[in-house]
Every structure is written in C-alpha cells, then in structure tokens.
C-alpha cells in the first residue's frame, strides 16, 4: 500500500520544522498510540524497556540537547505503537532504521518493520521539507510504502486508508502546535536553531 501527501505549516521556517521532526521525543509525543521511540542496541529488550516520561521538548528543552538526541543515519530505533483499525487494536513492536538524513536539504528516509498478534508490516518512508513559495512557512512532502499482512491486511484498504490518514493528520496537527509554541517563544530558541545550520 502507498500513502503520500503534503502538509503546510504557517509561520514555521524549514530549519525549525526539521529540528522538531528530527527529535524522537517530539515525534513520539505527537504520534497518538506511540509509547516510545528509542535508539536500539544488541541488548535492547522490548519487555523490560521503561521509557522516560515527561521529557522536555522545544521550546522548554535546551536546543543543544534536542540536537544531540536527533535521529541519526544508520541508527536503529525501537518504537512501540498501538494502532486501532476497526475492532483490531494491535501493539506493534517496530524496528526503524534511519537510512538517510540530509541536514542541508531537510530530507530523511527510513525503513522499518513490525509485528503484533497476527499482523505484520514492512515499510519504506521519507519526508522532505521545503520553504513555501510565499516564504512564510514550510511545506512538508511525505510518503510511505507499506507491505501489510495478517489480520489487519484482511480488513483491506477501505478500512486501513482512513485510519492511516487520520494518524497522519493528527500527527501533523500536533507537530504544528508544538512548532508554533517554539516560534512564539522569546527565549532565543529559534535563533539558536537557525545557528545550527
């Protein structure tokens, strides 16, 4: 299945959108049903991992701390996601690898796979952030190609597509709210973000 689209953020410059969308904590907080996104190593155990709660994101967090925990190309991440599709509400243990990260062009691609109680998926996805033509915000292009099997796949695209669209719309609405908070702050965070590039 293929999903793609665009999302525009008013008054949010691309470099700011990039920093927030590169922060695993901000992404986790904006993605409904996501319990954690964390770097994996060989010793990672799904059952015993306890995510940190109440981790600060921008504008409260230090911009350097946010930059230090940003997604890294080549790194594997563990993500625990619960998604409700019809009467099925599986909790997916998902492994995501950041394949490419281009700080200059604000572009990132990732691959991943996950499984949960009779369902599984693999995916390739990516995003690129552009400055809007009116230079008053950002335009985010995103795409995902997913291969879904098991109980969820049996529900078909008629059920899956609206759920996927709802997840994406809720995510970008939450991200836009977070970015607006950063833009409105007078703490100098925005200037520090711009200084990172």
């Amino acid at each position: 299945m293929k999903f793609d689209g665009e999302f525009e953020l008013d008054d949010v410059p691309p470099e700011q959108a990039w920093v927030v969308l590169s922060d695993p904590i901000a992404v986790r907080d904006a993605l409904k049903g996501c319990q954690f996104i964390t770097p994996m190593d060989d010793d990672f155990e799904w059952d015993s991992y306890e995510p940190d709660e109440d981790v600060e994101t921008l504008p409260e967090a230090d911009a350097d701390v946010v930059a230090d925990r940003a997604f890294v190309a080549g790194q594997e991440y563990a993500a625990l996601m619960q998604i409700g599709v019809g009467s099925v509400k599986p909790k997916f243990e998902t492994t995501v690898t950041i394949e490419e990260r281009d700080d200059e062009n604000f572009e990132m691609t990732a691959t991943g796979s996950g499984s949960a109680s009779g369902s599984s998926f693999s995916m390739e996805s990516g995003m690129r952030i552009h400055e809007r033509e009116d230079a008053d915000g950002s335009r985010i292009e995103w795409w995902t190609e997913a291969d879904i099997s098991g109980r969820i796949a049996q529900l078909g695209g008629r059920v899956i597509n609206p759920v996927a669209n709802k997840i994406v719309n809720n995510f970008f609405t939450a991200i836009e709210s977070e970015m607006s908070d950063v833009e409105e702050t007078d703490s100098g965070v925005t200037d520090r973000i711009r200084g990172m590039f």
Side-chain angles (χ1 to χ4, degrees), residues 6-7 9 21 30 127 140-142 167-177:
E6 291 188 358
F7 197 88
L9 299 170
L21 286 167
M127 70 164 185
I140 301 168
E141 290 180 89
W142 63 272
I167 290 169
V168 169
N169 286 332
N170 288 345
F171 171 74
F172 279 116
T173 299
I175 284 289
E176 183 173 32
S177 174

Side-chain angles (χ1 to χ4, degrees), residues 10 14 16-17 29 49-50 52 121 129 131 145 170 187:
D10 295 330
Q16 182 180 313
D29 291 351
Y49 178 74
E50 292 286 335
D52 293 331
F121 75 92
I129 305 171
E131 185 172 30
E145 189 166 342
N170 288 345
S187 66

